[in-house]
Amino acid sequence: MKITEQIKQPIAYEMDLFEQKFQLSMASKVALLNRITHYIVNRKGKQMRPMFVFLVAKMLNDGEVSERTYRGASVIELIHTATLVHDDVVDDSNRRRGFFSINALWKNKIAVLIGDYLLSKGLLLSIDNNDFDLLKIISVAVREMSEGELLQIEKARQLDITEAVYYDIIRQKTATLIAACCSLGAASVKPNSPEVDTMRKFGELIGMAFQIKDDLFDYGEEKIGKPTGIDIKEQKMTLPLIYVLNNCSKKEKSWLINSVKNHNKDKKRVKEVIAFVKSNGGLDYAVKKMKDFQQEALDLLHNYPESPFKASLKLMVNYVIDRKK
């Protein structure tokens, strides 16, 4: 059995019901909108985010979920989908998960409006049901994701990222959404409890490990849906590169910065940068940091009684750093 299927087993019923509720939450009176949202729903990914919501809720609540849990999962998926649609416009990307992106099929104007529609649907789902605590969790996540993206753009221009700034960027850009999933799961069944913050921290740690794993793919040989060296071509400062930049000679540092700034489209030069980062311990350092975050996340689960949901969350933490794409 595939590991994702294993993780999903204890929440299979909830995930099936969630899919039906999620489709209903997207419905509109506009035919074009329905055609596009139908296209989105039929090309969904692994749905890790709703899985986090249900697993956390069931672990904390003796295997039970509430209607709020379903709404929390729908909201996070609506907001996440909105950010992906907008990301594809920002990145001028024509593909998403192997299929054409919304902007490739319907152009940028419609893609931006679809993203706005999904965002407002998510917010209204919370407001209409007085889930203001859930709405706050989501709104903070959206704000942080925007700030993280802009911080990354600002720093990429100067290429002066320290390790601390890098962690700030990935905490906001990637980890904040997984943190929101886990705190939503907790808040949906145990509102205003200390668990809400514990689970937020748990999700944040997983998100940090997840992003570092993504950074490592840029240096790998395996087929992982994005070509290697793409981060360097896009002048994205990742942990292996940051570590080497801060631990090499002045001459090597200026060669590296010059390569990323001015020769990032030169395939041979990009290969040389990848080889330099590998041979100077960049990958080993990033792997160690990723495993530190993983261990911290697992430690937070220690205090909860054993259950199929806790076992699936542990599997999820390990899957994040063992995945091949």
Side-chain angles (χ1 to χ4, degrees), residues 46-303:
K46 298 183 192 79
Q47 292 191 303
M48 275 173 69
R49 285 154 196 86
M51 280 157 69
F52 273 123
V53 177
F54 289 116
L55 286 170
V56 167
K58 291 187 88 168
M59 179 181 78
L60 298 179
N61 200 37
D62 302 323
E64 299 294 319
V65 297
S66 66
E67 269 306 308
R68 267 166 58 91
T69 315
Y70 285 102
R71 290 199 294 272
S74 291
V75 168
I76 205 86
E77 199 65 350
L78 282 163
I79 303 285
H80 174 59
T81 308
T83 61
L84 293 183
V85 172
H86 281 165
D87 277 354
D88 287 339
V89 175
V90 171
D91 297 339
D92 202 14
S93 173
N94 290 324
R95 312 288 285 183
R96 166 71 60 186
R97 296 181 185 129
F99 297 98
F100 283 115
S101 59
I102 303 300
N103 50 304
L105 292 171
W106 285 281
K107 299 289 176 275
N108 282 350
K109 188 175 180 179
I110 287 177
V112 170
L113 293 170
I114 289 288
D116 292 346
Y117 173 77
L118 296 173
L119 198 60
S120 64
K121 272 288 196 183
L123 302 179
L124 284 168
L125 184 60
S126 296
I127 292 166
D128 292 345
N129 292 285
N130 293 325
D131 296 328
F132 295 111
D133 56 336
L134 305 188
L135 182 59
K136 185 173 183 185
I137 291 169
I138 296 289
S139 303
V140 168
V142 173
R143 183 196 70 202
E144 292 201 333
M145 285 157 67
S146 311
E147 284 179 357
E149 284 286 356
L150 288 164
L151 179 61
Q152 184 174 46
I153 290 167
E154 179 195 327
K155 291 295 178 184
R157 286 183 180 148
Q158 298 142 7
L159 298 185
D160 64 346
I161 297 188
T162 61
E163 200 171 319
V165 170
Y166 165 80
Y167 290 137
D168 281 344
I169 290 171
I170 68 167
R171 189 174 287 112
Q172 291 181 303
K173 233 188 81 166
T174 305
T176 194
L177 195 65
I178 300 177
C181 297
C182 297
S183 56
L184 276 175
S188 73
V189 291
K190 301 255 189 229
N192 306 314
S193 69
E195 259 79 23
V196 177
D197 196 53
T198 304
M199 287 295 110
R200 185 201 60 75
K201 183 70 186 160
F202 170 73
E204 185 179 277
L205 290 163
I206 295 170
M208 301 291 276
F210 183 92
Q211 185 55 54
I212 296 172
K213 177 70 173 182
D214 255 16
D215 288 358
L216 288 163
F217 282 142
D218 206 45
Y219 294 88
E221 305 303 322
E222 294 169 40
K223 271 272 170 253
I224 34 103
K226 71 168 189 175
T228 51
I230 200 164
D231 288 339
I232 295 165
K233 290 184 190 105
E234 291 175 0
Q235 298 187 340
K236 278 187 188 155
M237 300 297 280
T238 59
L239 188 55
L241 182 58
I242 290 164
Y243 171 78
V244 172
L245 269 173
N246 294 327
N247 288 279
C248 63
S249 71
K250 218 170 176 181
K251 190 179 169 193
E252 288 167 332
K253 186 172 182 172
S254 70
W255 174 79
L256 271 175
I257 288 177
N258 183 31
S259 301
V260 177
K261 250 190 171 160
N262 304 315
H263 303 280
N264 57 336
K265 302 286 188 281
D266 176 343
K267 281 184 181 166
K268 183 172 173 287
R269 189 74 167 256
V270 169
K271 271 188 173 165
E272 285 169 9
V273 170
I274 290 174
F276 186 81
V277 170
K278 281 182 177 175
S279 62
N280 282 271
L283 299 199
D284 296 338
Y285 182 78
V287 167
K288 182 191 173 299
K289 285 293 178 186
M290 175 179 74
K291 289 188 170 167
D292 289 347
F293 284 120
Q294 175 202 26
Q295 194 51 52
E296 247 187 285
L298 290 171
D299 289 346
L300 283 178
L301 293 179
H302 275 331
N303 302 330

